Amino acid sequence: MKTRITELLGIEYPIIQGGMAWVAEYHLAAAVSEAGGLGIIGAGGAPASFVREQIRKTKELTNKPFGVNLMLMNPEADDIAKVIAEEGVAVVTTGAGNPGKYLSAWKDAGIKVAPVVASVALARMMERAGVDAVIAEGMESGGHIGQTTTMALVPQVVDAVSIPVIAAGGIADGRGFAAAVMLGAEAVQMGTRFVVAKESIVHENYKKKVLAAKDIDSEVTGMSHGHPVRQIRNQMTREYLKLEKEGASFEELEHLTLGALRKAVVEGDTVNGTLMAGQIAGMVKEEMSCAEIIREIMQTAQTLLKLQ
Ligand code: TUI
C-alpha cells in the first residue's frame, strides 16, 4: 500500500511503531523495520550516549529505514537532538512538547521530521515550521496524552494541514487501520500492540497485564498538574489518584512515579511500576512477531478498504 508516508520514509507498509520510553529499544525497532514498517527507538528519559548506542545497534540489525523518538521533557534533549543529526537516522519523531528549536539542524542533516501533535493549533504551527508530517495522537493512547480523542483529532488535523497525517491512539488491528485511512490518515502509529510483540524486551509480567487487560482497565494519572499519563490500573495508580484527589503537590506525586516505568518494563514490578498502555489493550490478546502483526493488519485493512 502506497501513501505519501510510505514514499517519504521509503517503507513498505504505512505502520509506525510508537517510540515508547524503555520499551522501544533496538531489538523492537529493528524487527518492525525488517518487517516493512518503521521501527522507532524511544529516547524516553535516557542519556544521549545511550541513544547513540541504540542507533548503532539498530544499524547492525537492519539496513532498512528506522527512526528515533525524542521525548522533549528529557533533560538531555539538546544533546540527543545533536546525536540524531550526527548519526543520520531516516526520521525523527517527537513527543510531549514543541520541537521547533531543533528543526533546522535536523533538516540540514536530511532527516525527515514528524512531531506528535495533540491539537490542530500545534499541527498548523509545525507545518509552518517545515516538518514533513505530523502524528495526530488521541487520548486513547498509553503514556503521556493530550485531551482529544483520535476520532475527533485526526480529521480536524487532516483538514487543517496539507502535509501527511499519521493517526495514533486506539489503533491495534486492521479495522483501526482502515478507520484511520477513512479519517484521512496516510499511516498509523501503534504502541500497545508492539509492547507485547515477540521481539519486545518488556518483562513477561507487564506483557501479561496488557494481554489480560479489559477495555476499562486504564487510568489517567497526573491530570491535575498538566502531565496526564495513561497506564493500566494497579496499586500505584490507586495510591497516586488518591493523593492527587487530596491535593498532593507535584513533587510528592513525582516521587511516587520516579523510576516506575523502568520498574515495570525491566523488573516486571506490576504493583509499584507504571504499566503504560492504551485503551486498546483490551483488544490485544496474543503475543505475535512484528512481521505477523504487520501482515495481519495489512491483510484485514486491504479487504476492508476494497469494500468501500
Ligand atoms: O510523548 C508521548 N507519550 C509519552 S512520553 C512518555 S515518557 C514519560 N514518562 C513518565 C512520565 C511522563 C512521561 C510516556 N509517554 N506521546 C506523544 C504526545 N505528545 N502526546 C501528547 C503530546 C503533546 C502534548 C502537548 C505534544 C505537544 C504538546 O504541545 C505542547 C506545546 O508546547 O505546545
Side-chain angles (χ1 to χ4, degrees):
M1 181 179 177
K2 269 192 183 170
T3 69
R4 283 188 292 170
I5 292 293
T6 58
E7 299 298 292
L8 177 76
L9 303 178
I11 55 176
E12 206 173 338
Y13 307 111
I15 296 181
I16 299 171
Q17 165 240 316
M20 302 162 282
W22 287 101
V23 174
E25 49 67 75
Y26 74 100
H27 294 99
L28 185 64
V32 172
S33 287
E34 276 295 295
L38 184 81
I40 304 254
I41 297 162
S49 56
F50 177 83
V51 178
R52 194 189 294 279
E53 206 176 289
Q54 288 282 314
I55 294 171
R56 291 186 178 172
K57 284 178 172 165
T58 310
K59 283 178 181 166
E60 283 171 18
L61 293 185
T62 184
N63 291 320
K64 298 197 175 172
F66 68 91
V68 173
N69 175 268
L70 174 57
M71 204 278 284
L72 293 159
M73 295 189 300
N74 185 315
E76 291 196 21
D78 288 358
D79 290 336
I80 298 170
K82 273 192 210 124
V83 166
I84 290 167
E86 284 164 14
E87 294 292 324
V89 295
V91 55
V92 57
T93 65
T94 62
N98 181 341
K101 67 173 171 171
Y102 305 122
L103 295 183
S104 62
W106 288 336
K107 298 311 294 178
D108 288 350
I111 297 171
K112 307 289 182 217
V113 183
V116 167
V117 297
S119 68
V120 166
L122 189 61
R124 281 211 176 98
M125 195 192 297
M126 290 292 98
E127 179 176 50
R128 277 199 303 272
V131 304
D132 300 280
V134 288
I135 304 170
E137 186 185 284
M139 53 83 81
E140 297 94 321
S141 301
H144 179 86
I145 53 171
Q147 291 178 355
T148 311
T149 61
T150 303
M151 182 72 114
L153 181 66
V154 171
Q156 293 187 73
V157 171
V158 165
D159 286 349
V161 299
S162 324
I163 51 176
V165 176
I166 299 156
I171 301 166
D173 69 2
R175 294 170 299 176
F177 180 105
V181 170
M182 289 293 100
L183 296 177
E186 297 188 51
V188 299
Q189 177 179 280
M190 302 192 306
T192 306
R193 183 92 197 250
F194 286 119
V195 168
V196 296
K198 280 203 175 119
E199 296 90 342
S200 151
I201 52 78
V202 168
H203 195 286
E204 222 31 60
N205 296 353
Y206 190 152
K207 287 190 177 180
K208 280 188 188 145
K209 286 286 179 190
V210 173
L211 293 169
K214 297 188 296 299
D215 54 344
I216 54 169
D217 282 349
S218 75
E219 295 272 23
V220 179
T221 59
M223 202 74 99
S224 63
H225 55 76
H227 291 289
V229 172
R230 183 179 302 285
Q231 53 202 287
I232 295 174
R233 185 182 302 108
N234 63 1
Q235 186 179 297
M236 203 277 285
T237 62
R238 286 195 184 91
E239 203 174 324
Y240 191 109
L241 290 170
K242 182 171 165 281
L243 284 173
E244 203 173 7
K245 216 170 164 185
E246 289 165 5
S249 70
F250 176 68
E251 289 71 28
E252 212 177 327
L253 293 168
E254 276 291 278
H255 184 70
L256 201 62
T257 54
L258 200 69
L261 185 57
R262 196 195 73 84
K263 260 187 225 163
V265 174
V266 181
E267 295 169 19
D269 183 346
T270 60
V271 178
N272 305 300
T274 302
L275 301 163
M276 292 186 191
Q279 289 183 327
I280 209 73
M283 218 171 71
V284 179
K285 291 289 168 221
E286 204 187 333
E287 186 172 344
M288 289 162 65
S289 72
C290 294
E292 288 166 341
I293 292 170
I294 291 176
R295 195 180 318 125
E296 184 205 88
I297 290 175
M298 291 315 301
Q299 274 173 0
T300 308
Q302 271 159 2
T303 307
L304 292 174
L305 292 168
K306 269 188 209 135
L307 291 175
Q308 296 301 320

